[in-house]
Amino acid sequence: RILNLPLDRKLVVYVGSLFPEKGIKDILLVAEQIPQALFILVGGEPKYVKHWRKYAISRGIRNVKFTGFVNNSLVPLYLSAADALIMPYGRECARIMDIESTSPLKLFEYMAAKKPIISTKIPAIQRIIHHGVEGLLAEPENIEQLTEYVRIALEDLKLAKKLGEQAHEKVK
């Protein structure tokens, strides 16, 4: 209610920058396949918000909300409101981070939220999240697999709770 988000829809949340290498296109393509859920992208510079909003409109994707920059104090509220948290990385992400050794701070924030995490199977993530244990990991740029894992996280509430709890326990 504080964030003025719908209470009657499943919420898939992404928090972070909206650089193309961050898998934003992948999130939008997943949103296109799951119109009953609302995908909320929190953060991003105005030029990237504008770019991705235009992309979503061009494809008729209407179940996406871009917040743009929000105060850091609101991030935990968005994470808490989510039914699932998403953070895909495309093959291009190697241009902005070392996929072998970087540990994205966002991952630890997601884990602390006790929500199911859907991410990409890259070495930096796989060292922390094990598929089916603390989250669900799709092959990079495999939209069908990413979509299926989001669906599973939204529909299998027992599994979603287990993944969130195990991620939370690990991050402690």
Side-chain angles (χ1 to χ4, degrees):
R1 287 188 174 107
I2 293 169
L3 299 172
N4 197 29
L5 297 173
L7 301 174
D8 61 342
R9 288 181 86 177
K10 297 285 187 171
L11 305 176
V12 179
V13 174
Y14 166 86
V15 176
S17 63
L18 300 181
F19 303 131
E21 299 87 355
K22 292 287 193 165
I24 305 307
K25 183 177 178 182
D26 293 356
I27 295 171
L28 296 177
L29 294 174
V30 170
E32 187 174 41
Q33 299 299 313
I34 309 176
Q36 66 275 20
L38 178 61
F39 287 71
I40 302 164
L41 287 83
V42 179
E45 297 173 28
K47 72 178 183 177
Y48 290 111
V49 170
K50 182 179 177 181
H51 168 79
W52 293 116
R53 189 175 281 139
K54 183 178 176 182
Y55 177 82
I57 290 168
S58 76
R59 291 189 62 97
I61 305 168
R62 302 191 193 308
N63 60 325
V64 178
K65 176 179 179 167
F66 295 92
T67 67
F69 174 82
V70 301
N71 189 294
N72 286 343
S73 66
L74 293 177
V75 170
L77 294 177
Y78 280 100
L79 297 177
S80 180
D83 293 287
L85 300 170
I86 191 168
M87 54 182 289
Y89 293 97
R91 289 181 181 91
E92 297 175 349
C93 76
R95 291 191 314 208
I96 60 170
M97 67 183 245
D98 180 349
I99 65 170
E100 298 292 330
S101 64
T102 299
S103 291
L105 179 59
K106 173 184 6 202
L107 176 59
F108 302 110
E109 292 174 343
Y110 279 20
M111 292 170 76
K114 281 191 178 178
K115 302 294 179 170
I117 299 166
I118 301 95
S119 189
T120 309
K121 196 182 291 185
I122 60 172
I125 303 295
Q126 285 182 283
R127 275 198 321 280
I128 301 159
I129 298 289
H130 298 93
H131 179 75
V133 179
E134 299 93 5
L136 299 174
L137 302 178
E139 293 296 329
E141 300 174 13
N142 185 330
I143 303 306
E144 294 78 22
Q145 193 175 53
L146 195 61
T147 301
E148 181 60 24
Y149 291 162
V150 170
R151 277 197 178 105
I152 289 169
L154 296 177
E155 294 171 4
D156 187 340
L157 302 184
K158 186 176 177 181
L159 176 63
K161 183 176 180 170
K162 179 180 143 199
L163 294 172
E165 287 174 352
Q166 290 179 170
H168 181 258
E169 196 57 37
K170 188 171 194 174
V171 81
K172 285 200 288 188

